[in-house]
Amino acid sequence: MSGWVMVAGLGPGDDALVTPQVMEALAEATDVVGYIPYVARVKPRQGLTLHPSDNRVELDRAGLALKMAAEGKRVVIVSSGDPGVFAMASALFEAVEANPAASDTDIRILPGITAMLAAAARAGAPLGHDFCAINLSDNLKPFTEVERRLRHAAQGGFAMAFYNPRSASRPYQFSRVLEILREECEPERLILFARAVSTPEERIHTVSLAEAQPEMADMRTVVIVGNELTRRVGKWVYTPRSVPA
Ligand code: SAH
């Protein structure tokens, strides 16, 4: 049998949010590779070898998947959320680009529900008009670039979703992000902190920009900043579909 690689999104946490297509790929796989906590979400079974690996070794992981596929294995690379959003799908193509022999590999990307959409659905419809997603981590880009994009997005009137907002190794940067938002947006602007969405630890709260504190975010939080028109209706937060002329 010929091998393949599928890059699958496991969704934000709840098993009910894993697509049937991803379940099917996992049922056919001989090998699963991925970051330790994501591989831990895959049920072990006979005939399936799990290859958990540490953070920041995405290219090695992609290389291993391509090598196993060339040997005839059926490999699923797991990501949380969607594999194309700050995750393994791009890492796999970087590995293919670096190794032309791998370009014939049978590759499929299986989408998943990304954190910002799961969070938005819980809160109401904060991403109901134009929005953008920004990865606040400076592992793979300089923080000056994060600051530049953030400022432009705020000036452009976009609602924004922030991934990787704050970690122990870079606690100051999210304070800087709030500072820039305060320069560009009004104090009443709504900000949603959505932590561990769709898991038993889920916690979602909405505050104004004036009330927002850096400690409200950690690495399990996706932050959604509304646009100028984003507002509360009852217990919900939503962004209307139209912008006045
Ligand atoms: N591919 C993933 C994102 C990986 S980056 C996706 O599409 O969702 C990791 C970041 O995603 C975390 O720092 C956090 O900002 C966000 N995230 C992932 N799962 C989450 C969840 N269940 N609740 C809130 N944020 C989450």
Side-chain angles (χ1 to χ4, degrees):
M1 220 166 151
S2 53
W4 46 250
V5 178
M6 297 202 198
V7 193
L10 296 177
D14 184 349
D15 284 346
L17 299 180
V18 181
T19 68
Q21 191 181 49
V22 167
M23 295 300 288
E24 203 175 304
L26 289 170
E28 289 173 11
T30 56
D31 295 83
V32 169
V33 307
Y35 179 37
I36 300 158
Y38 306 156
V39 172
R41 288 174 53 190
V42 176
K43 260 201 203 78
R45 63 168 164 79
Q46 223 175 13
L48 180 67
T49 310
L50 302 177
H51 306 265
S53 49
D54 213 341
N55 218 349
R56 302 209 189 179
V57 294
E58 291 83 5
L59 278 182
D60 297 344
R61 190 184 291 149
L64 172 68
L66 290 168
K67 178 171 161 286
M68 290 194 293
E71 294 163 0
K73 298 201 165 135
R74 301 186 295 279
V75 186
V76 175
I77 304 178
V78 286
S79 280
S80 76
D82 180 272
V85 179
F86 312 129
M88 279 304 296
S90 289
L92 179 66
F93 291 119
E94 286 169 24
V96 170
E97 200 170 42
N99 173 15
S103 60
D104 291 337
T105 311
D106 181 1
I107 293 174
R108 278 180 70 193
I109 312 299
L110 311 182
I113 297 177
T114 190
M116 71 177 174
L117 298 184
R122 276 286 201 244
L127 302 178
H129 207 290
D130 301 339
F131 67 90
C132 65
I134 304 179
N135 185 349
L136 296 189
S137 165
D138 64 349
N139 285 345
L140 299 169
K141 65 174 182 264
F143 195 69
T144 48
E145 189 58 21
V146 175
E147 294 184 12
R148 192 179 74 84
R149 291 182 184 192
L150 170 65
R151 207 178 279 282
H152 284 305
Q155 289 172 356
F158 292 98
M160 296 167 256
F162 301 147
Y163 286 74
N164 296 309
R166 189 164 179 266
S167 77
S169 60
R170 41 183 186 85
Y172 314 110
Q173 292 173 351
F174 191 62
S175 315
R176 178 70 190 129
V177 165
L178 289 178
E179 225 173 77
I180 292 172
L181 288 174
R182 286 182 177 125
E183 286 167 24
E184 302 295 340
C185 310
E186 67 291 349
E188 302 76 29
R189 182 69 62 101
L190 291 180
I191 304 196
L192 237 122
F193 293 87
R195 183 172 196 276
V197 175
S198 87
T199 78
E201 294 91 52
E202 175 176 296
R203 187 149 183 272
I204 299 180
H205 63 285
T206 305
V207 298
S208 68
L209 177 54
E211 295 163 331
Q213 297 296 326
E215 302 73 39
M216 291 175 176
D218 66 5
M219 281 308 270
R220 293 191 72 193
T221 306
V222 66
V223 179
I224 295 179
V225 182
N227 75 13
E228 210 178 358
L229 298 173
T230 303
R231 50 197 184 239
R232 296 178 193 263
V233 53
K235 63 173 186 170
W236 304 100
V237 174
Y238 92 108
T239 302
R241 294 169 301 150
S242 53
V243 174

